[in-house]
Amino acid sequence: MKAWEATVRKTQAAAKKRANTIFGTSYAVENVDQEEENGDDQEDEEHASGEVYHAEKFLPNGDYYAGYWADNFPHGTGKYWWTDGCMYVGEWFRGKKMGKGTFSWPSGAIYEGNFKSGFMDGEGTYTGASGGTYRGYWLMNLKHGYGVKEYVNGDVYEGEWSRGLQDGQGKYQWKNGNYYVGEWKNGKICGKGQMFWTNGNVYEGNWEDGLPKGNGTFKWEDGSFYVGNWSNDPNEQNGTFYPSGSLLEGKNLDWAPQEVFTNDLKDCKVSPIEKVPVWPSQKKLAIWRSSNSKGGIVPDSSVRPRRNSVDGRIDASGGGGGGGGGVDKDLGRMRLSDGAAPSPWSGGAIDSSGNEGDDPLGGFYSDSGVSGRGTPLRIPKVVKRQGETISKGHRNYELMLNLQLGIRHSVGRPGPPPSLDLKPSAFDPKEKYWTKFPPEGSKYTPPHQSCEFKWKDYCPKVFRTLRMLFKVDAADYMLSICGNDALRELSSPGKSGSFFYLTNDDRYMIKTMKKAEVKVLLRMLNAYYNHVRAFENTLVTKYFGLHCVKLNGIKVRFIIMGNLFCSEYMIHRRYDLKGSTFGRLTDKPESEIDANTTLKDLDLNFIFRLQKTWFQEFRRQVDRDCEFLEQERIMDYSLLVGLHFTEASNDELHTPTGALTPVDQGGSETDSLPRLSRVDVDQLLMDPAGWASIKLGINMPARVERTERQNETELQLVGEPTGEYYDVVMFFGIIDILQDYDITKKLEHAYKSIQYDPNSISAVDPKQYSRRFRDYIFKVFAEDT
């Protein structure tokens, strides 16, 4: 114990000397050691819980903090200096950079403006190390909203930004005086816009990927102009040149639109966005993990955090203090924390020598000094890979071969490039094609090892265009479904009796369908296509193909759709939410619930809190999607939600992604899976390029607040908030959108209404279902304030 104290004092003395050099203090450096010896009483001065007081902290890893402090964390105004030279001066709220402040980098870059939960968020100005500046609005470290960017080379962009890139209406002016005014998408000139050159030339029309594409007009200062279809590919150029009177007199009529691409546009390149090596939200605070509210330097080893299960029940085996053998190890720990969402992994422990040690708690830490920090969660340590591999001898082995042969035939078939503007005939339910697959092969099909079968494609032009709309590469699609790897069959059919299959890389899910469901999809296909085309952020299931296999006189219809939970992150908790209560409680005991268990409404004990901009977009999109489903007379759909808790310990982090798992020749389904290292996870969470690709419902950083149901005797859909928060990465989407309110569902509603509360059952009129679904979803999702 004395050796440990001596090590801490030495480290603190070194930190104080470094702080003196950088910040300057009124006392002499040579007295540091003496002060350190006499400083224990001052450090151990007790303060009441919640009391805000001024403190100067020389942290054991060399970091320095001076400012207001409360409950073991910065709270109020203060200055924090990291050993790598980064510094934050400004407002804090319970350990998070919150409010107005200034963050500076050792390179000379500086940000001055608003912060929220540790992120640059709100209005602020960033000046890069090389001199470029951005003044405008931010969202989670990314430029978002209106802003002006002045580049180092003299270029200027003024306009709208989205998730770090130019997106929307904006004006870009080059140093030489040329400028563009119009639409942008994902950091590139895209949509309708005008380009003005200093020599008087003007192009007005459509753009794509920074170049003229589609209909447009190029005008010269002398009055000449060219009207037509533009493309960087000369073979696709088509238009008419109208020369001015002076050109006609000189009979100078030769001009090619390719000159615009080779000459006029050669210097009109948009400057790249500079990269920031580390974001303010990535800078962790070196705070001692403590259960008391003393100065935050000496932890209380007698208190050990209790463990909670995910549903909030206390695990009796997790309570109680640690034995004597574990005290010294516990005292030697320091926690790096910032509380931002998404926050870095903090499950690993560091001993007094700076090395990673084993974690006797094996889960999340609970700091009573942080109001709102959640109590420990029980996260499953080992996750079996979902599904049973369909190998030779499996009852559905031939069906899988047929399916793979059919997909390869459908997707690989040559055809003209699909156009987004489809003719009504493409949506006709009669637009379906049968193909016979004899074992010996035919003119159109290859030989195969299965028995003869027939293959049907429904509305192939529509689904081919949908795949293009959803940015699915045909080669990758075929490789996922028809590659050398077998499909996996989920262990049991769904409630509807349908079977589910997963591709080996987890990208696609294949579901068998009833004839009635096929009819519903074909009936609503035109409306579905228009809806997903109009709303890029739609939450409804993405469909990629509708097919049928006829084998031995039996027809098996199936749909191919995207797997919502295909991600580098392990999904720790899954919820299927409808807003009804009848039958909406998982019948498994808690001990059998694992990461692959899909929980229901009455199992839910969280409120999902999204950042303001995302929450507003979420509300708008849920309204749009529900209105579409209501118009199509659809009910019984649900919101599927997946949660990845970002503070799970590294020992519990297993990735279920099939692409990283070798095929097991022995047929075992319980082999341990490869896992991401802590460095990999930090990279995924903190890489701004990854954030720029975040979409509504995909890879969304958020917070969840735990809830508790007050009355166990009554069915309470949404519990009361407890103030305990956890940082998560969220995935969600609307699934099961093919249930029509037909006579069967009407009879089900009538029958169950006699026995149960009509509002508690799923089978209700689509209008009532939509209203109830939205009311519920907007209670369990809320704005993160």
Side-chain angles (χ1 to χ4, degrees), residues 9 12 35-45:
R9 284 173 181 161
Q12 289 177 332
E35 288 180 11
E36 197 59 52
E37 292 292 331
N38 299 330
D40 288 346
D41 294 338
Q42 184 177 351
E43 288 288 0
D44 288 341
E45 180 184 347

Side-chain angles (χ1 to χ4, degrees), residues 64 103 169 278 361 363 383 423 459 508 523 570 632 689:
Y64 168 83
F103 189 95
Q169 291 289 332
V278 61
L361 300 181
V383 177
K423 295 179 180 179
C459 299
Y508 303 105
R523 186 202 73 202
M570 173 180 168
E632 295 302 312

Side-chain angles (χ1 to χ4, degrees), residues 90 287 459 771:
I287 307 299
C459 299
R771 183 170 58 249

Side-chain angles (χ1 to χ4, degrees), residues 96 339-344 364 373 644-647 702-704 725-729:
K96 298 178 183 178
S343 43
F364 297 165
R373 173 65 63 181
H644 168 86
F645 291 90
T646 64
E647 292 189 9
R703 291 200 302 166
V704 295
Y725 292 88
Y726 305 93
D727 298 326
V728 296
V729 178

